[in-house]
Structure formats: C-alpha cells, structure tokens
Amino acid sequence: MKLRDSNIKRLQAESFDVLVIGGGINGAVSVAALAARGAKVALIDARDFAGFTSQQSSNLVWGGIKYMEGYEFGLVAGLCKSRNELLDSFPSTVKEIRFLMTLSRKFRFHPWIIFASTWLYWLLGRGKTRTPRLLSMAQIRESEPLIDTSDGRAGIEYSDAFLHDNDARFVFNFVRSAMDKGCAAVNYIESRGAMRDSVGHWKTEVKDQVSGNTFTIRSKILINAAGAYVDQHNLLCDIDTRYQHLLSKGIHLIVPQISENHRVLAFFASDERLFFAIPMANRTCIGTTDTRVHNPETEVSDEDRDFVLSNINARLNLAKPLQPEDVIAERCGVRPLAALKASGNSLDVKHMSRKHVIEVTDNRRHISIFGGKLTDCLNVGDEICEQVAQLGIELQPARKWYGEPDAQTRTEFFRRAHAMGLDEIVASDTHEALSERLWRRYAANANSMLDAIEKDATLAEPLLEQAGIRRCEIAYLAQHEMIVKLEDYLRRRSKIELLMSREILQKSAGLKEACEQLFGNEAQQRMDEYFN
Ligand SMILES: Cc1cc2nc3c(=O)[nH]c(=O)nc-3n(C[C@H](O)[C@H](O)[C@H](O)COP(=O)(O)OP(=O)(O)OC[C@H]3O[C@@H](n4cnc5c(N)ncnc54)[C@H](O)[C@@H]3O)c2cc1C
C-alpha cells in the first residue's frame, strides 16, 4: 500500500497523544521533536507539506541583523544561537554565506555605525562566522563590478547562513524524520474544526482533498500550527487566545544568475528596508517586500514586481536592465506575525517583532503557535515538547532530535559513493559532485539509491539535466516522499520549478519519464493538471 494511503488508515483507526494541524515549519518541527521523544503523533496539512508560507521564504538562516535597529538584541542573540545550532547540525544543508552590503551616500546611518553594528552582530552570534569587513568603493568595484557604485559611500561584508536546497525541502526532511519515528503524517487533509468529547479527547473532523472522504481523528492534545490560518482554526474549535496574527506579504522574483560570485548582495531599498539578491543554484532570487495584508491568499501584483525590478536595476550595472520577461518564477507569501489582541490591528508590520509565541489553553489541552521563523524552528520544537509534557503526556528524556546522521554513517556513505565513481559525476551548473548532492538532499536514505545504482548503473544518469536530477532519485521519491501532485515534486521536494521555465519543462522528455514513475497510470493526468 502507498505511504499516504497507509497513513490515512492510521489516522482513521488509531488514537493519538497529539494531532498537529499544519505541516509548515512550525508543525513539522513539532512532530519531529515529539516523535523523537516517544509521543504518538499525527500531522495533517490541507495542502502539501510546506505548501503555504514555508515555501515562500528568502531561504536565509539568520540572526536577523535588521532587527537590531529596533533594539531587539535578545531576539537577534536567540536567532543567532539557532542559526549556529543549525549550521552545526545540518552542515550539508545550512551553509555560511557572505553578504555584501552597499551603503549609499544618502543612507540614514554613517558606514562606521553600520560596520560597528555588524561587529556587534558577529559578537551576538558568538563569533561563529567569518568576521565583518569594511570595503571602500574601489574594493567593491574590484570584487563585484556589477554593483553601481556611483552613489555609494562604503560597503560592508559580513556572514550569515542560507538553505542550500530550499525552505520546503528543509521542512519536508523534518516531516520525513518524524515519519521514520512513527508519526502518521498526511498531506492534503484539511481540518474542518475540532471539539472535545465527554472524556476530554479532541475529535477533529477532516476532509481528504484527494478522495473527498471525510473522517474523524482522535487525540488527547491538539496543536494548531496552521500559520496564517491559526486564528481561523481557533474559531472553528472555540479557542480564545491573547495573541492573534497580523499578516505581511513578501515576494521574490527568480531571474537568470546575475553574478557568478557565490554571495548575497544586500542593499537598502527605496523603502529603506534591507533588500537582497540571493544565489539559488544557477539563478538569483531577488526580494523581498513587506506589505500589510488581511487575506492570507496573495499574489504578486504589478506594483510588487515593479518595486523589486526597479530597486535592483537602480543598484546594479547590468548590460540590460531586468524586465518582467526575464523573470523565471515568482514567489509570494504572507508572514504570520504574532501580536497581542489587546494591541489592536493597526500595528506597522514592518516594525513588528518576528518572535514566536506558544500559547497554551491548559483546560482544553490545546496549543496555538503564533509567528516564528524558519531559523527559530529548533526552539519551537523544544518548547512544544515542554508544553506537551506539562499537559500530561509522558515523554522520554530530552535528547537531540534533529541533524544529519553521525560521522560514521556519513563516512561510510562517502566511501561507498567514492568507490562507485559518484564523486566524478559533477553537475554542469553547480559543479557539485553527485555523492555530495545525494547526501545533502536525502542523507542516510541515499544509501538506497547507491544500492539501486549498484544494480543498474544507468540510474546515475541525468533525468532533468538542467535541475541536476538523476534517475535513481525518482523511485525513492515515489515510495517515500508522499508526492500527490506534480507541483509537490517540482516546487517543494525539489526546486525544479524555480530553476526551469515552464516551456522548457513541458518539452522535457525526462519529466515525462519521472511522472510515469511517480504517478503510474495517472502520469498524463498529473502533467495536464500542472501545465493547464
Ligand atoms: C517573504 C518571506 C520571506 C521570509 N524569509 C525568511 C527567511 O529568510 N528566514 C526565516 O527564518 N524565515 C523567513 N520567513 C518566515 C518564515 O517563512 C515563516 O515564519 C514560516 O514559514 C511560517 O511557518 P508556519 O509553519 O507558521 O506556517 P505555514 O508554512 O504557512 O504552515 C501552516 C500550514 O497550515 C496548513 N493549514 C492551514 N489551515 C489548515 C487546516 N484547516 N487544516 C490543515 N492544514 C491547514 C497550511 O496549508 C500550511 O501548510 C519569511 C516569510 C516570508 C513570507
């Protein structure tokens, strides 16, 4: 039986300690942490895992240098600590990267103040990364001739970290690790609300968006990790909270690679917010914006697109300014920001704290997760375990529930991959060896791909060359990664959709072959659904 079907059967038949609503980063780390400590957990998402805000981030794992302007030093120190822990625990996925920030003559702070701030940031980050550096205009021109220095005053280089693959893949790996420890996780299952029965257990009414079937899931505790929909879901469950979400929209545009230098270019945009051009494989991801919205469902407007393109064009010396036609893909999401209901609805989202808040309704054994960041995810996982234990679920003693497999497993994988010649198979765009790539994306699960290649060497051949995908990955994905729609694969388990234009993708023979393995008889239907 397929993984999704068997997990649905478990949702229907079993009773859980905890049911988590929402498989974005907050829900994913909650189940990963709880499952690792022996709780019996279930996770549902109305869409695909990471199918909402958690697929729309800037992919930065960072202390949030910009929050220092609001004197949020505690938040920055905490985020830097989380960043450092993620750097240590996921060395293949979370990587240090240099940021080159150019300051204009009109900028509100003198470069020395910014330079001193980057040193303070470095200290708050416990000196984990390379030290900051002050650059003259001549040094900027030399190291990045692309930057328009005509209005520049100075540049500062400092370090933070980013997600090498993407946010959605990072989230899915937490869901996968929870499933490996017994969690019943299913995508495309929408909660229609929950109520408590006579013995105080939650009964959540859900609808399977694929089959249309409805059923009930039983759990002792309910965790609402529905992101921008937390307030809406609390209304459905008659839960009253002190906090609520205010929403801020942010967009990114993906364009052909603008610089071969692997670093983030940072500027202050016309609204004086930090604005980035971030490397994404052989593309560049530019953004973002910060606009108050009231509806979680958003899309990129002409105004957003103009804002991003005009800001980047004004700061770079490109041979031809970037035009809307150059955009390969667009990303648009809403940040759910935690706000006390008592503060009202008129707060300025640009200046609101990005702190997460975990609000427990003890007498109903209900937990709501407000706000947060991908960078903060390990703290959310730990705090959820504490709260669940306080609500009476017996957990095994605290231990590390995240991170790549131990050094011995890693060494053994690379020894085997090296012997099979996978170090010599190098991606044409990113120059990364196949062995590195498989480990980074699948960790110890990539051993099954080595087994497959040993039996059939053609499985190491490229399937979607432009996106670096090899034949051996598809059989594994079909069995273990709960891909329901083609978009789940192209946008979230991989980032193919962000790297290749739809026209090229549609003509790709490799995609057809991948679909046949992923969807069997339904391959054509899934392709039509996606492209139409
Ligand atoms: C433009 C932008 C840039 C950002 N950049 C960064 C960055 O660089 N670094 C960083 O650390 N953070 C960044 N963030 C913040 C970060 O992305 C978010 O804080 C985080 O992804 C929110 O995760 P979440 O789990 O709360 O919400 P989501 O990812 O939205 O997850 C909630 C899930 O709940 C599901 N759901 C809702 N209702 C129901 C229901 N009734 N039944 C079942 N499921 C339901 C949804 O489908 C959704 O998948 C950025 C955010 C934005 C918008």
Side-chain angles (χ1 to χ4, degrees):
M1 191 188 289
K2 282 199 159 165
L3 176 63
R4 184 171 185 276
D5 296 335
S6 64
N7 279 3
I8 288 179
K9 285 232 152 33
R10 288 189 55 202
L11 293 181
Q12 292 167 332
E14 297 176 20
S15 182
F16 297 90
D17 291 331
V18 183
L19 170 65
V20 178
I21 313 287
I25 187 65
N26 285 341
V29 289
S30 299
V31 287
L34 287 166
R37 293 186 58 188
K40 189 168 178 192
V41 281
L43 170 73
I44 55 167
D45 197 296
R47 302 172 178 78
D48 187 22
F49 305 119
F52 205 63
T53 301
S54 296
Q55 64 174 346
Q56 309 290 10
S57 81
S58 305
N59 287 311
L60 299 177
V61 173
W62 64 326
I65 191 167
K66 63 183 179 181
Y67 309 137
M68 288 187 3
E69 202 181 340
Y71 306 111
E72 291 203 79
F73 298 112
L75 173 67
V76 173
L79 286 174
C80 283
K81 189 163 175 246
S82 308
R83 175 201 67 191
N84 294 353
E85 182 61 18
L86 288 168
L87 275 164
D88 286 340
S89 305
F90 296 93
S92 315
T93 313
V94 181
K95 301 267 192 190
E96 179 173 339
I97 191 166
R98 293 299 267 176
F99 283 59
L100 176 57
M101 186 197 288
T102 310
L103 301 171
S104 77
R105 275 195 213 116
K106 287 178 274 187
F107 188 57
R108 57 187 185 279
F109 293 116
H110 190 279
W112 277 102
I113 295 181
I114 303 293
F115 187 46
S117 308
T118 52
W119 271 100
L120 176 59
Y121 186 63
W122 181 81
L123 286 170
L124 289 171
R126 293 138 185 99
K128 172 81 178 167
T129 56
R130 287 167 61 196
T131 49
R133 201 161 74 96
L134 184 67
L135 280 86
S136 66
M137 283 295 101
Q139 283 171 309
I140 291 188
R141 277 192 292 275
E142 195 189 331
S143 77
E144 193 59 87
L146 190 70
I147 294 175
D148 180 353
T149 50
S150 53
D151 181 38
R153 190 169 187 188
I156 291 157
E157 204 178 56
Y158 68 98
S159 280
D160 244 318
F162 85 122
L163 292 168
H164 189 123
D165 275 317
N166 61 7
D167 39 19
R169 177 90 216 158
F170 184 65
V171 171
F172 180 77
N173 283 343
F174 283 112
V175 177
R176 184 61 259 174
S177 102
M179 285 196 280
D180 291 342
K181 297 181 181 81
C183 169
V186 188
N187 50 6
Y188 296 101
I189 301 280
E190 182 189 19
S191 161
R192 299 281 182 89
M195 54 193 288
R196 301 218 311 159
D197 63 14
S198 53
V199 290
H201 288 182
W202 284 100
K203 288 168 76 177
T204 304
E205 299 300 322
V206 302
K207 181 174 179 193
D208 179 346
Q209 309 284 34
V210 179
S211 66
N213 293 341
T214 55
F215 58 94
T216 304
I217 306 174
R218 291 181 303 277
S219 63
K220 292 178 188 152
I221 293 176
L222 190 64
I223 298 184
N224 178 356
Y229 293 92
V230 163
D231 296 316
Q232 193 174 312
H233 198 269
N234 279 344
L235 276 178
L236 293 174
C237 304
D238 198 21
I239 291 286
D240 192 17
T241 49
R242 289 168 59 234
Y243 279 84
Q244 64 174 355
H245 272 146
L246 299 189
L247 306 179
S248 153
K249 172 180 161 189
I251 77 137
H252 294 94
L253 303 180
I254 315 285
V255 298
Q257 190 173 45
I258 57 173
S259 165
E260 286 193 359
N261 292 319
H262 184 71
R263 68 175 152 220
V264 176
L265 302 181
F267 307 95
F268 284 87
S270 50
D271 64 357
E272 304 236 304
R273 286 182 62 254
L274 258 179
F275 177 85
F276 302 115
I278 306 165
M280 182 185 268
N282 57 348
R283 306 288 179 223
T284 302
C285 175
I286 308 171
T288 174
T289 55
D290 200 346
T291 330
R292 173 77 193 271
V293 288
H294 296 277
N295 185 347
E297 309 282 336
T298 51
E299 52 187 41
V300 178
S301 66
D302 289 343
E303 202 185 326
D304 297 325
R305 210 173 283 116
D306 286 352
F307 176 87
V308 171
L309 290 177
S310 61
N311 270 288
I312 196 76
N313 285 330
R315 283 153 187 82
L316 299 180
N317 272 322
L318 294 169
K320 187 176 148 289
L322 287 166
Q323 301 294 327
E325 314 71 271
D326 299 314
V327 175
I328 298 163
E330 297 182 334
R331 309 168 75 218
C332 180
V334 287
R335 304 171 184 87
L337 305 175
L340 273 169
K341 281 183 182 162
S343 319
N345 290 326
S346 55
L347 296 172
D348 179 356
V349 289
K350 287 194 181 68
H351 299 117
M352 277 178 66
S353 171
R354 266 50 177 167
K355 270 186 207 149
H356 72 264
V357 175
I358 293 179
E359 190 169 342
V360 184
T361 312
D362 302 68
N363 58 348
R364 315 243 351 241
R365 296 180 107 190
H366 182 279
I367 300 175
S368 309
I369 310 179
F370 292 98
K373 297 190 72 67
L374 288 152
T375 312
D376 211 9
C377 64
L378 303 179
N379 295 326
V380 171
D382 285 335
E383 287 169 36
I384 284 292
C385 285
E386 265 172 48
Q387 298 300 342
V388 163
Q390 280 184 19
L391 290 177
I393 303 293
E394 204 175 316
L395 298 180
Q396 291 161 9
R399 61 185 148 109
K400 194 168 172 186
W401 50 272
Y402 50 83
E404 291 177 18
D406 58 38
Q408 196 188 337
T409 313
R410 185 179 200 283
T411 310
E412 177 51 25
F413 172 84
F414 279 99
R415 189 203 55 74
R416 214 178 141 201
H418 175 75
M420 291 167 69
L422 303 195
D423 294 349
E424 267 76 67
I425 305 180
V426 175
S428 52
D429 51 357
T430 56
H431 313 295
E432 190 181 28
L434 182 55
S435 46
E436 292 280 345
R437 191 177 161 282
L438 292 180
W439 177 262
R440 182 163 50 72
R441 293 174 60 78
Y442 309 102
N445 292 328
N447 275 308
S448 69
M449 295 172 212
L450 301 192
D451 296 341
I453 296 171
E454 255 169 6
K455 286 193 198 114
D456 176 359
T458 65
L459 291 175
E461 287 172 3
L463 190 60
L464 287 157
E465 173 67 18
Q466 277 173 295
I469 307 292
R470 302 275 151 170
R471 290 208 147 76
C472 58
E473 294 171 65
I474 308 296
Y476 171 84
L477 288 161
Q479 253 191 311
H480 300 279
E481 299 213 342
M482 216 179 277
I483 293 166
V484 175
K485 300 184 181 179
L486 182 51
E487 189 194 319
D488 304 342
Y489 173 53
L490 295 178
R491 175 71 173 82
R492 287 174 287 275
R493 303 302 179 275
S494 72
K495 54 178 186 280
I496 297 172
E497 185 185 280
L498 301 176
L499 306 180
M500 289 171 75
S501 76
R502 281 174 92 82
E503 292 71 36
I504 296 179
L505 248 181
Q506 195 162 11
K507 288 187 200 129
S508 147
L511 183 65
K512 197 150 186 286
E513 191 182 321
C515 281
E516 278 157 11
Q517 282 199 57
L518 290 172
F519 308 116
N521 296 337
E522 291 174 6
Q524 193 56 49
Q525 192 188 332
R526 296 282 164 263
M527 283 188 70
D528 293 346
E529 232 171 52
Y530 180 80
F531 287 107
N532 298 331

